[in-house]
């Protein structure tokens, strides 16, 4: 018996097969000093009516990414089953311990939930949670929208994102779903550390997968929440769960999402050492290969010169550095280019 068939230790307070609106909690066991039989309660809302596809909306996989928490929570509170044909499963605040701790990683086990898939029901808290999502929730799901931002670590241009799917039909469906979501950019990427993410589990099951990056810098991005909420509703309309036309007009006057890609490793700029990084550009700005990306300062050393970092690729800044202090090997910029299918890798 593989890990995915082992029984989850998490109890689910609602029945995904029942019609109407159900709101409750997943109850995940967590032994602690104040309670050996203690649990962590994780909000879950399921809205089901008639027949149609099942959409999974997840927020708070990382605890310091606020726009998804807000957008999915609001939809979970307000979505009327009478307006739906199909099923919407919402986990607006999955990683409750990290959310309450305001951190990317879980304070319970120090793990990144989004690097624990497909999980293990007998593993650490994050592994147990990942296993529940993979083994109990995903078998119901046709379409997954996982709402992220760049958290404290960076600032992102407002975007959906997707893996380069090797199946052309799935790639087309996913790009169409991204265009319907209607963020300013949709970023196709590959070749990063993705083996244990929620997206990897979703894709392994043949489910359409879309992620987002809707801000960052450790604060609520006003436009990120607006684009996120509009995008969730657009998605339900696009897949026929909800009536109405999608609304994808952009602030800059363009009518639709601009499809982009992260071409290769040269699009990622990493800090060569620990220090204080002074970026020169904001996410969404156009940058040139060879142009100064910023300076790495060593303010604790008298007269030590700052190190200037340069972009290796021209394009639009998808991710810009945020926190000031960086470690050696931290990404401080990610450059994206207009999408070209001929330049992508499976
Ligand atoms: Zn995230």
């Amino acid at each position: 018996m593989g890990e995915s068939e082992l029984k989850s230790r998490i109890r689910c307070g609602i029945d995904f097969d029942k019609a109407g609106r159900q709101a409750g909690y997943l109850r995940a066991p967590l032994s602690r000093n104040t309670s050996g039989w203690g649990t962590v309660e994780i909000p879950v809302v399921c809205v089901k009516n008639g027949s149609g596809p099942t959409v999974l909306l997840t927020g708070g996989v990382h605890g310091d990414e606020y726009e998804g928490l807000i957008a999915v929570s609001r939809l979970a509170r307000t979505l009327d089953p009478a307006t739906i044909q199909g099923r919407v499963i919402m986990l607006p605040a999955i990683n409750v311990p990290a959310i309450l701790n305001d951190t990317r990683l879980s304070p319970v086990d120090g793990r990144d939930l989004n690097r624990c898939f497909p999980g293990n029901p007998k593993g650490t808290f994050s592994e147990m949670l990942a296993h529940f999502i993979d083994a109990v929730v995903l078998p119901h799901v046709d379409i997954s929208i996982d709402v992220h931002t760049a958290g404290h670590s960076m600032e992102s241009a407002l975007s959906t994102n997707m893996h380069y799917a090797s199946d052309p039909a799935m790639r087309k469906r996913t790009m169409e779903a991204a265009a319907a979501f209607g963020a300013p950019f949709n970023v196709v990427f590959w070749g990063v550390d993705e083996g244990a993410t929620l997206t990897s589990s979703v894709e392994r099951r043949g489910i359409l997968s879309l992620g987002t990056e809707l801000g960052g810098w450790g604060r609520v991005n006003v436009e990120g929440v607006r684009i996120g909420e509009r995008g969730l509703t657009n998605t339900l309309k696009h897949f026929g769960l909800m009536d109405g036309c999608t609304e994808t007009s952009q602030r800059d006057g363009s009518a639709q999402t601009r499809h982009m890609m992260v071409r290769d490793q040269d699009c990622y700029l990493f800090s060569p050492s620990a220090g204080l990084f002074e970026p020169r550009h904001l996410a969404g700005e156009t940058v040139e290969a060879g142009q100064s990306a910023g300076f790495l300062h060593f303010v604790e050393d008298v007269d030590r010169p700052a190190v200037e970092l340069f972009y290796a690729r021209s394009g639009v800044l998808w991710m810009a550095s945020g926190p000031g202090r960086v470690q050696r090997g931290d990404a401080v910029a990610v450059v994206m280019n207009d999408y070209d299918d001929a330049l992508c890798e499976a």
Side-chain angles (χ1 to χ4, degrees), residues 62 65 104 148-149 213:
H62 294 130
E65 301 180 5
R104 176 181 178 87
H148 286 251
T149 80
E213 297 291 350

Side-chain angles (χ1 to χ4, degrees), residues 9 18 47 51 103 124 153 159 180 195 197 220 254 256 279 307 309:
R9 292 154 60 211
K18 214 168 134 185
V47 175
S51 59
T103 52
T124 69
S153 65
S159 51
T197 61
V220 176
S254 57
Q256 61 214 359
V307 171
L309 305 185

